[in-house]
Amino acid sequence: MAGGLVALLDDIAALVKLAAASVDDVGAAAAKASAKATGVVVDDTAVTPRYVEGLAPERELPIIRRIAVGSLRNKLLVILPVIMVLSQFLPWLLTPILMVGGAYLAYEGAEKVWEILSGHREEQAGTGEVDEDAVVSGAVRTDFILSAEIMVIALNEVDSEPFLSRLVVLAIVAVLITVLVYGVVGLIVKMDDVGLSLARRESGTSQRVGHALVKGMPRLLSVLSTVGIAAMLWVGGHILLVGVDELGWHWPYAQVHHLEDAVHAVAGVGGLLAWVVNTLASALVGLVVGAVIVAVLHVVPRRKKHDEAAAAH
């Protein structure tokens, strides 16, 4: 009996060690997959703050919370099941689907550029009316594409793992990335409130820091809004470049690689210059593709209506 109990305890101990090793493996895989998606995470963090522009301060965190919940729902209830099924049975469909998302991101970025250049954005800002449901809906749609890119990048890092391990790793990545992105966004948009609190303290240092935060945050949010627009063009264009390359049309991305190779040999800054070249090329592709879609969906129909109205008079 004692021998049997010892053997049972040995078996349990072995199972515990195996489970612990599996947890360690999953944790390491999740960390690796998350790290690979860092570039898109930065873009997601830059894109989101522009959605709270014009909102009353007390509504900023509730709106960000709603967007975060929508983002997590996107990742866990839609994107994760879809990419797991596709990766298992139809892996060739992932690239075309991502490219559709990339084209949408390019369209979103180009549409914002068009609004700025045409003055339409200022007209909207001047109304003082913000539809919170529309804000959340637009943010969640854009987040869906960025989240899909993050999840596919993470999937590529663990595609050799068993199905269950992939599922667990991607679920962990989904939660970690969402908490990271929207935690940082929440901190960014509320830093002016932190500044006001510091400015009311008796300490001279606290007051100086507080005044600097209050003055600096609107500028930071403006910069982040611009970076967010650029990020949509960059990520959208990059998805399209990589997608056409994977589908067999290698010429566009090959030209980008040639430009990267040309600057990579520059001592000290070659790696940075190569990244800049890739980023600018991706953004240019995103802008061109997005501009075409904007023209088809907005500019041409609007001009046609204008011409018809003029002819009627």
Side-chain angles (χ1 to χ4, degrees):
M1 177 71 70
L5 179 60
V6 170
L8 177 61
L9 291 176
D10 285 343
D11 290 342
I12 293 173
L15 287 172
V16 169
K17 288 180 182 178
L18 180 60
S22 298
V23 170
D24 287 343
D25 290 343
V26 168
K32 181 182 177 184
S34 300
K36 279 290 185 179
T38 298
V40 186
V41 171
V42 172
D43 298 335
D44 204 358
T45 307
V47 166
T48 305
R50 71 183 182 83
Y51 287 103
V52 298
E53 287 181 350
L55 291 175
E58 66 272 13
R59 297 303 303 156
E60 291 173 344
L61 287 183
I63 291 299
I64 290 171
R65 189 180 303 114
R66 287 179 63 187
I67 298 171
V69 170
S71 174
L72 193 58
R73 190 183 296 121
N74 280 343
K75 293 183 181 76
L76 293 179
L77 301 183
V78 181
I79 298 171
L80 180 57
V82 168
I83 66 171
M84 289 301 297
V85 170
L86 290 179
S87 67
Q88 192 73 16
F89 301 107
L90 298 168
W92 56 270
L93 259 183
L94 284 172
T95 296
I97 290 174
L98 262 184
M99 290 179 69
V100 172
Y104 177 78
L105 270 185
Y107 159 71
E108 278 267 289
E111 186 180 44
K112 300 307 174 188
V113 172
W114 167 249
E115 288 175 358
I116 294 170
L117 294 178
S118 64
H120 185 56
R121 193 180 191 188
E122 284 71 14
E123 292 172 10
Q124 289 178 323
T127 64
E129 299 178 1
V130 178
D131 185 339
E132 292 188 2
D133 290 336
V135 167
V136 173
S137 177
V140 171
R141 277 198 307 272
T142 300
D143 176 273
F144 186 91
I145 309 302
L146 293 168
S147 293
E149 175 77 348
I150 289 168
M151 297 293 280
V152 171
I153 290 172
L155 174 65
N156 288 337
E157 290 303 306
V158 294
D159 60 352
S160 60
E161 299 290 328
F163 184 89
L164 185 58
S165 295
R166 273 182 284 152
L167 182 64
V168 173
V169 167
L170 291 178
I172 292 172
V173 168
V175 174
L176 287 179
I177 294 299
T178 304
V179 171
L180 173 63
V181 168
Y182 291 97
V184 171
V185 169
L187 286 174
I188 289 172
V189 300
K190 300 309 290 182
M191 283 306 291
D192 52 351
D193 292 345
V194 174
L196 284 173
S197 177
L198 290 173
R200 296 190 183 107
R201 295 187 179 182
E202 295 181 0
S203 167
T205 301
S206 295
Q207 290 178 1
R208 285 192 294 273
V209 172
H211 288 307
L213 286 175
V214 171
K215 291 180 179 178
M217 286 314 296
R219 296 173 187 169
L220 176 60
L221 287 174
S222 178
V223 169
L224 281 176
S225 178
T226 302
V227 170
I229 294 171
M232 286 189 286
L233 295 172
W234 165 25
V235 176
H238 187 71
I239 292 172
L240 293 171
L241 271 176
V242 173
V244 296
D245 187 67
E246 290 182 357
L247 292 178
W249 188 26
H250 304 299
W251 184 86
Y253 210 18
Q255 306 312 304
V256 177
H257 287 316
H258 288 324
L259 291 174
E260 286 182 278
D261 292 340
V263 299
H264 203 278
V266 178
V269 293
L272 175 62
L273 291 176
W275 177 84
V276 169
V277 165
N278 192 298
T279 299
L280 291 177
S282 297
L284 180 60
V285 170
L287 182 60
V288 170
V289 172
V292 170
I293 300 174
V294 167
V296 170
L297 295 182
H298 293 299
V299 179
V300 172
R302 190 177 301 167
R303 186 165 297 172
K304 185 178 179 181
K305 287 181 181 179
H306 181 271
D307 292 342
E308 289 175 352
H313 290 296

